[in-house]
Amino acid sequence: MTNDAQRRLVALLGNPNCGKTTLFNAITGAHQHVGNYPGITVEKKEGSYRMDGRELRLVDLPGTYSLTAYSLEELVARDFLVQERPRAVIDIVDASNLERNLYLTLQILELGAPVVIALNMVDAAAQRGIEIDAEELSKRLGFAVVPTVARTGRGRQELLEATFRLMEQGPVWTPLQISYGPDVDPVLNDFEKEILAASFLTDLFPPRWTALKYLEADAQVIERGREADQALSDRMEAVSAQLSEHLQKTLDTYPEAIVADHRYGFISALLKGGVVKRSGETDRLFLSDQIDKVLTNRFLGPVLMMIILYAVYQFTFNYSTIPVNWIAQGFAALGSFAESALPPGPLKSLIISGVIDGVGGVIGFVPLILFMFLAIAFLEDTGYLARVAYMLDRVFRIFGLHGSSVMAFIISGGIAGGCAVPGVMATRTLRSSRERLATLLTAPFMNCGAKLPVFAMLIAAFFPSKRAQMMFLLTLLSWAAALLLAKIIRSTILRGPSTPFLLELPPYRLPTFKGLLIHTWERTWQYIQKAGTIILAISILFWALMAYPSLPAARKALFEQERQAALAELPEEGRSAAQDLGPGPAESSLPAPVAAAREKLRSLEHEEAVAALKYSFAGRVGSSLEILTRWAGFDWRTNVALVSGFAAKELIVSTLGTAYSMGRVKRGEDIPLAGQLASDPAWNPLTAFSLIVFIMLYAPCFATVTCIVKESGAWKWGLFSMVFNTTVAFLLAVAIYQGGRWIGVGP
Ligand code: GDP
Ligand code: MG
């Protein structure tokens, strides 16, 4: 670039959505063209502006929040400033989000570039009751701060005047020096001296800035440093690593966090004493701050969070039982109707055991899921969910995860009732690949919407008086398991440092009724669709696996013989009454021998059905797994259901339903699955709890595994999650079952 061109160069920089493009167009009008940055596909817009014989060339840099080396946008913006050395930088700042936007400003100032601030969107800020004293801010910063409204052109002339004035001052770059506290400052000072003495990268960056980048382990700067002076670079890297370790040990933090803390500290000091005025109750942001003082308070916050989450369970479980019962009764009636209307045979079995029971078991939980989603939508739309993430960040760090992991966990079912598929996708916001992998491998431990029906059924059967408490306990358990396993993964196969956390807290809002309904309905509808399509198909497949091969004729004949023998003992007129196994006359109204024969016939039918299921393909698989799974208290029927759960977790309930309805006799009495399990001698609260924990932790469903493979870019992580999760789940279930028996709560 010629000297003359450089003398007219002005860069436009700001956070995404601060109005950069609007301002660029307003200034350059028709005099602009679009290109690419050399070697990169990031768009580069350039334009020019003339006034009174003076001219400037304006370059629109990509919108970014920071000048670290985490993203391409950040690198492009930074490289441009360093290499092109523009005469002035117009830093656009969103006046309604000043603190956050000034974070970028500070970094430009630390590089030393001459800045003028366009305090944009002052109209929107005023509407929110925010007023900024630009003059005072300008005085404190020592350069021009011009209020603008890019959309209307307000302030544009003034901004351009200020820019020209800055350009006329000549190419002076004076880096801003911020103190980073007693731990970091001495190291920065030492580095600075060495850097100056060796003229290390001084043609590119201010010395203190280079030093800071070494502390932040900035890959790009370190690479350049190695090329420039390998020995010095190595020494600085070693000292930085030492400091990082020291900070971890003594303060449980890391250099980037300290740097961010001090920058925000600098900003809040800069704005203290009336630079920002917020007017009264009409201001949502002001109100939000007030609410946050309570809701994210260091001590009160976590307590309130627990209470709020607990209230969600109370709400969901207490209010949904009524419609859940309606639906269960409806499907039971449908089953009875099919029982009496259809001729006996495979078709009847298919419709009753495969379709009605299978899908009914899943649809029956729609109200519960709807209530859960409504509660979550409320927390999300009010802005509280983001606070939960904010508060849990400190905890997550301990386990080698990141604040942004929280969203992935919550979406996966952290507040019971999500889905690991979008949860795994939500890890895209994580910048460190190790933290990201650890998050997507542990997010499936959360209690997704598909596990809920299984838990709800087992809880209804074995812990009926403690529904909400049990669900709450299960939520805590899934978080504990996910965090512990994340810690294990992050300290073994995925070792590495953590990355800093910047999270925006949206202002609190009162959600609209319509918005809540839309969010709730979208998710519930997804669930229903899944139940109606995949689950119906797989339910039928599993019915077939459980119905075939059917018992050999010889064994059927044996059962028939015994039946005839029982009937032969009765006089002719009692036989038809004994054979009616449906809801016939009450036992007491029958003559004793008839009642006894009926009882005998019932147990025969039950035995035959169980024998048939065990003989079926699914039964054989389940039986052969029993050698292992009996350590955890699972019988072959449970095994069949767990295998089907690989396809989709909802299927566990429907497969159990199918397995038990095939093996049950008192069809006419319509014992719902929960009741049936509760009265089965092989089941008790210990088996149920061991099973719940196993289901919570074992292999993710196929959809999630596919997603893990896609997101991690490697098959091995999909396989890993299946093997690792199932192993952990099995070991824990065995520990619970055997431990429970040992202390005497088991069978
Ligand atoms: P960029 O992402 O920084 O390029 O932002 P844009 O120029 O695309 O602007 C984002 C949005 O903010 C657009 O809808 C603009 O119309 C709007 N906008 C830009 N400047 C102002 C302003 O000063 N006041 C208000 N109220 N809106 C603005
Ligand atoms: Mg833009």
Side-chain angles (χ1 to χ4, degrees):
M1 190 181 314
T2 65
N3 242 355
D4 186 50
Q6 191 182 8
R7 237 182 290 147
R8 286 182 276 125
L9 191 60
V10 175
L12 196 56
L13 197 54
N15 287 11
N17 275 318
C18 62
K20 217 153 47 64
T21 304
T22 313
L23 186 70
F24 179 83
N25 289 336
I27 293 176
T28 60
H31 311 280
Q32 51 170 284
H33 67 267
V34 177
N36 276 336
Y37 289 97
I40 331 176
T41 53
V42 173
E43 194 177 83
K44 175 189 183 185
K45 271 192 299 192
E46 267 190 67
S48 59
Y49 175 79
R50 260 176 243 267
M51 185 173 80
D52 306 334
R54 296 175 295 183
E55 187 187 2
L56 59 79
R57 279 181 48 233
L58 198 59
V59 175
D60 186 19
L61 294 178
T64 107
Y65 294 109
S66 172
L67 292 181
T68 48
Y70 291 124
S71 71
L72 192 58
E73 285 77 18
E74 291 170 348
L75 274 180
V76 166
R78 180 167 108 183
D79 281 347
F80 185 88
L81 294 185
V82 174
Q83 280 156 15
E84 307 296 333
R85 301 253 150 186
R87 261 311 161 76
V89 174
I90 298 180
D91 173 26
I92 311 191
V93 161
D94 175 356
S96 61
N97 196 359
L98 191 59
E99 286 90 343
R100 166 77 153 164
N101 277 247
L102 286 176
Y103 194 80
L104 176 67
T105 311
L106 282 199
Q107 296 183 64
I108 306 171
L109 293 174
E110 281 187 297
L111 260 181
V115 169
V116 11
I117 286 185
L119 189 61
N120 197 34
M121 305 217 187
V122 282
D123 57 334
Q127 264 175 18
R128 289 198 195 170
I130 303 172
E131 214 172 304
I132 294 159
D133 187 345
E135 225 165 292
E136 177 61 27
L137 186 59
S138 163
K139 219 160 47 191
R140 293 186 186 187
L141 283 168
F143 54 81
V145 177
V146 184
T148 61
V149 178
R151 251 196 338 212
T152 63
R154 184 182 139 198
R156 193 183 57 191
Q157 278 314 313
E158 245 185 284
L159 179 70
L160 287 165
E161 285 294 346
T163 309
F164 279 123
R165 271 202 305 279
L166 193 63
M167 291 162 77
E168 279 149 19
Q169 280 172 14
V172 221
W173 281 50
T174 33
L176 171 76
Q177 303 234 344
I178 296 177
S179 162
Y180 289 109
D183 288 293
V184 174
D185 274 349
V187 181
L188 281 182
N189 292 340
D190 285 351
F191 280 4
E192 214 179 327
K193 270 185 225 137
E194 290 203 58
I195 289 170
L196 273 173
S199 293
F200 179 68
L201 299 180
T202 42
D203 53 329
L204 289 171
F205 316 120
R208 196 176 162 85
W209 192 87
T210 308
L212 198 57
K213 292 297 134 180
Y214 266 83
L215 288 186
E216 291 176 330
D218 184 301
Q220 193 210 27
V221 171
I222 290 176
E223 196 184 317
R224 284 188 190 170
R226 283 184 187 149
E227 278 165 28
D229 184 341
Q230 182 82 45
L232 178 56
S233 176
D234 286 351
R235 210 157 59 237
M236 281 167 50
E237 272 183 80
V239 174
S240 302
Q242 256 172 25
L243 176 68
S244 179
E245 206 173 300
H246 175 75
L247 290 175
Q248 200 94 75
K249 269 199 212 121
T250 54
L251 299 172
D252 192 26
T253 185
Y254 40 94
E256 292 100 315
I258 291 197
V259 168
D261 275 356
H262 282 84
R263 282 193 188 135
Y264 277 119
F266 188 95
I267 293 168
S268 79
L270 188 67
L271 300 180
K272 267 211 171 71
V275 172
V276 182
K277 283 197 210 75
R278 307 201 142 129
S279 55
E281 300 76 42
T282 53
D283 179 19
R284 240 182 14 189
L285 283 174
F286 175 77
L287 197 65
S288 281
D289 287 346
Q290 297 301 311
I291 298 175
D292 268 341
K293 275 191 188 140
V294 181
L295 285 186
T296 62
N297 177 282
R298 239 185 141 76
F299 304 103
L300 209 52
V303 176
L304 287 173
M305 179 172 73
M306 289 296 194
I307 293 173
I308 288 171
L309 296 188
Y310 187 67
V312 167
Y313 295 116
Q314 289 291 353
F315 166 77
T316 308
F317 279 83
N318 290 343
Y319 290 97
S320 66
T321 39
I322 303 159
V324 164
N325 285 340
W326 288 342
I327 294 186
Q329 281 161 11
F331 272 95
L334 201 63
S336 299
F337 172 74
E339 178 78 37
S340 54
L342 294 169
L347 182 69
K348 178 175 180 172
S349 169
L350 168 67
I351 290 178
I352 292 176
S353 299
V355 180
I356 297 178
D357 282 2
V359 175
V362 176
I363 297 288
F365 289 96
V366 164
L368 184 126
I369 277 154
L370 195 129
F371 276 67
M372 185 65 89
F373 282 156
L374 180 65
I376 289 179
F378 182 78
L379 293 185
E380 210 172 7
D381 291 3
T382 49
Y384 185 68
L385 218 51
R387 268 74 184 180
V388 172
Y390 167 76
M391 282 187 278
L392 290 175
D393 178 55
R394 266 175 280 164
V395 182
F396 266 54
R397 202 150 285 295
I398 301 172
F399 297 95
L401 295 170
H402 187 270
S404 307
S405 310
V406 181
M407 263 348 265
F409 277 30
I410 288 177
I411 293 171
S412 299
I415 311 182
C419 177
V421 171
V424 163
M425 289 186 197
T427 61
R428 284 178 193 171
T429 54
L430 283 151
R431 295 191 285 202
S432 143
S433 66
R434 291 197 185 93
E435 282 167 356
R436 178 158 185 238
L437 260 176
T439 309
L440 66 82
L441 286 175
T442 47
F445 289 134
M446 295 291 128
N447 296 325
C448 70
K451 292 179 199 169
L452 280 189
V454 201
F455 294 168
M457 189 270 291
L458 289 170
I459 290 171
F462 295 100
F463 311 95
S465 59
K466 299 197 175 60
R467 288 171 197 235
Q469 290 93 324
M470 270 304 281
M471 267 319 290
F472 191 59
L473 173 73
L474 292 185
T475 304
L476 292 185
L477 237 128
S478 67
W479 281 86
L483 290 179
L484 275 175
L485 290 165
K487 181 73 184 170
I488 291 173
I489 291 175
R490 283 285 275 134
S491 28
T492 52
I493 49 174
L494 291 173
R495 278 174 84 142
S498 2
T499 50
F501 176 77
L502 288 173
L503 184 89
E504 238 174 319
L505 294 183
Y508 286 103
R509 274 174 295 252
L510 204 59
T512 63
F513 190 61
K514 196 175 155 198
L516 282 182
L517 286 188
I518 290 172
H519 282 152
T520 306
W521 178 246
E522 275 172 359
R523 291 174 185 171
T524 309
W525 179 236
Q526 274 175 6
Y527 177 83
I528 295 174
Q529 278 177 319
K530 214 166 152 190
T533 54
I534 308 176
I535 291 174
L536 177 59
I538 298 180
S539 184
I540 289 173
L541 174 73
F542 268 80
W543 166 82
L545 290 178
M546 284 187 273
Y548 300 96
S550 50
L551 273 186
R555 284 187 66 186
K556 276 190 190 160
L558 273 177
F559 279 108
E560 189 53 34
Q561 261 176 29
E562 281 200 53
R563 237 191 305 269
Q564 291 310 325
L567 283 175
E569 288 171 14
L570 284 181
E572 191 71 44
E573 62 283 3
R575 284 183 192 170
S576 73
Q579 272 175 299
D580 177 14
L581 302 179
E587 307 281 321
S588 54
S589 71
L590 291 173
V594 176
R598 190 163 122 168
E599 202 44 47
K600 173 80 184 151
L601 287 182
R602 260 187 190 152
S603 70
L604 272 175
E605 189 168 331
H606 182 74
E607 273 171 45
E608 182 175 359
V610 172
L613 183 57
K614 208 163 186 173
Y615 189 80
S616 74
F617 184 75
R620 290 176 205 194
V621 173
S623 303
S624 55
L625 285 174
E626 230 178 30
I627 311 171
L628 271 177
T629 61
R630 64 158 182 246
W631 288 93
F634 308 156
D635 74 347
W636 59 276
R637 273 193 281 215
T638 308
N639 293 348
V640 173
L642 289 174
V643 171
S644 74
F646 272 118
K649 300 278 149 105
E650 292 94 330
L651 288 175
I652 297 172
V653 175
S654 59
T655 310
L656 274 178
T658 311
Y660 276 84
S661 97
M662 278 178 163
R664 84 187 176 196
V665 179
K666 303 179 186 176
R667 155 56 73 185
E669 290 173 20
D670 280 313
I671 301 176
L673 183 56
Q676 214 165 347
L677 290 185
S679 61
D680 192 313
W683 283 81
N684 59 62
L686 183 63
T687 7
F689 191 64
S690 156
L691 180 60
I692 286 175
V693 170
F694 185 84
I695 292 170
M696 183 190 296
L697 303 177
Y698 86 120
C701 66
F702 278 138
T704 306
V705 172
T706 319
C707 211
I708 288 177
V709 171
K710 255 197 340 235
E711 292 296 319
S712 65
W715 267 102
K716 67 172 180 185
W717 292 117
L719 262 171
F720 175 86
S721 76
M722 289 173 68
V723 175
F724 178 73
N725 295 15
T726 308
T727 310
V728 168
F730 183 66
L731 292 179
L732 216 64
V734 170
I736 288 170
Y737 188 67
Q738 298 299 338
R741 280 169 48 122
W742 191 62
I743 59 168
V745 290

